[in-house]
Amino acid sequence: MIACTIAGSDSGGGAGIQADLKTFQELRVFGTSVITALTAQNTKGVHGIYPATADFVKDQLNAVIDDFDLKAVKTGMLFNAEIVETIVSVMESKEIPLIVDPVMIAKGGASLLKEQATIALKEKLLPVATVCTPNIPEAEVLTGLTIKTEEEIELAGEYLLNLGMQCVVIKGGHLAGKHAIDTVFIRGEKPFKMKTDRLKTIHTHGTGCTFSAAITAEIAKGKPLKTAIIEAKKFVQLAIRYPLNIGHGFGPTNHFAYQEHRGICDVQVI
Ligand SMILES: Nc1ncnc2c1ncn2[C@@H]1O[C@H](COP(=O)(O)OP(=O)(O)OP(=O)(O)O)[C@@H](O)[C@H]1O
Ligand SMILES: Cc1ncc(CO)c(N)n1
């Protein structure tokens, strides 16, 4: 099975292209990549960004699509509106499932998506997406809503589904509480929640990339949406639960954990 990630490079290896390819590999999917930007980054922050031209993003994507039978494609850091529009122009005519992680701001606060690009992402990319995985601040930007309560999560989910996607996963990592709860909206189905313990850790660099890459890998393997999302939640939960304790800041998650600790992760589906 072959998947592709369209994202930024994280020199620190915990997020972006690197997190995506490691996740694909651990889930036994062959990973290809389209790099939108190079970041000089480590666990302490983003120290520089060097974007690719939109034309070169297109060259990479066409090179991959022309040669491989891609079963799923994901996007992460897209940086500017030209890159977003280029991806739309290639992907809109393809029947390949597209998972959009609407990456906007790195955990340290650096902007990974320009303001104009946010508009392009919402108005052009999301309508051709299959799945979108916003965290709470991203869902707030995309919907214009303030999201604090269950009802507001429901409203945000419905709003985003109405943009044309098949599925929206609103991640609860940024909320308070004893549990980390993600809410999943699949078109035509009753929404459900995935609940795990909220783990006390600073090693959460790249959690969102890892989660969306795991969804992409499971979809590439042909799993139905709901099964793919639940398995991906197990993958990211184990990756957070067994940190590598490397770097001097917010460390990466552990992509080896899923294979090493298989089967011992409880994700409550409610
Ligand atoms: N402390 C935690 N304990 C357990 N699960 C967590 C924790 N933090 C995040 N998660 C889970 O990790 C996944 C990614 O969520 P999160 O909200 O951290 O994404 P994100 O903010 O987009 O990440 P990124 O910083 O990579 O962009 C979700 O399934 C979320 O519930
Ligand atoms: C390249 C890149 N993509 C995504 C994120 C968000 O975690 C990051 N920090 N860096």
Side-chain angles (χ1 to χ4, degrees), residues 14-16 19 101-108 112 133-138 169-175 177-183 194-212 229 232-234 236-238 240-241 253:
D101 184 17
V103 171
M104 293 180 188
I105 296 173
K107 287 222 164 77
L112 303 178
T133 60
N135 61 27
I136 296 282
E138 289 158 357
V169 183
I170 300 188
K171 299 172 291 189
H174 292 250
L175 292 172
K178 261 184 69 192
H179 298 103
I181 303 174
D182 302 343
T183 311
M194 302 186 296
K195 182 173 168 186
T196 60
D197 289 339
R198 177 178 299 282
L199 303 164
K200 273 209 185 72
T201 175
I202 58 163
H203 302 299
T204 53
H205 178 63
T207 47
C209 306
T210 299
F211 183 42
S212 53
I229 291 166
K233 174 76 176 169
K234 288 185 190 166
V236 72
Q237 174 73 1
L238 288 167
I240 300 169
R241 188 187 292 179
T253 64

Side-chain angles (χ1 to χ4, degrees), residues 25-69:
Q25 186 83 4
E26 291 298 317
L27 288 169
R28 306 297 181 248
V29 166
F30 184 87
T32 60
S33 63
V34 170
I35 299 186
T36 57
L38 304 177
T39 71
Q41 189 175 176
N42 57 24
T43 61
K44 295 189 278 187
V46 177
H47 306 288
I49 297 178
Y50 188 76
T53 62
D55 278 348
F56 195 62
V57 169
K58 192 174 204 166
D59 289 346
Q60 294 175 73
L61 186 52
N62 281 330
V64 172
I65 285 183
D66 284 350
D67 197 21
F68 298 101
D69 179 17

Side-chain angles (χ1 to χ4, degrees), residues 151-192:
E151 290 71 30
E152 287 158 350
I153 290 177
E154 299 278 326
L155 279 177
E158 291 304 323
Y159 179 103
L160 291 170
L161 273 190
N162 283 334
L163 295 178
M165 284 157 275
Q166 219 176 311
C167 174
V168 178
V169 183
I170 300 188
K171 299 172 291 189
H174 292 250
L175 292 172
K178 261 184 69 192
H179 298 103
I181 303 174
D182 302 343
T183 311
V184 184
F185 302 83
I186 298 178
R187 184 173 294 284
E189 295 180 25
K190 197 169 160 283
F192 68 93

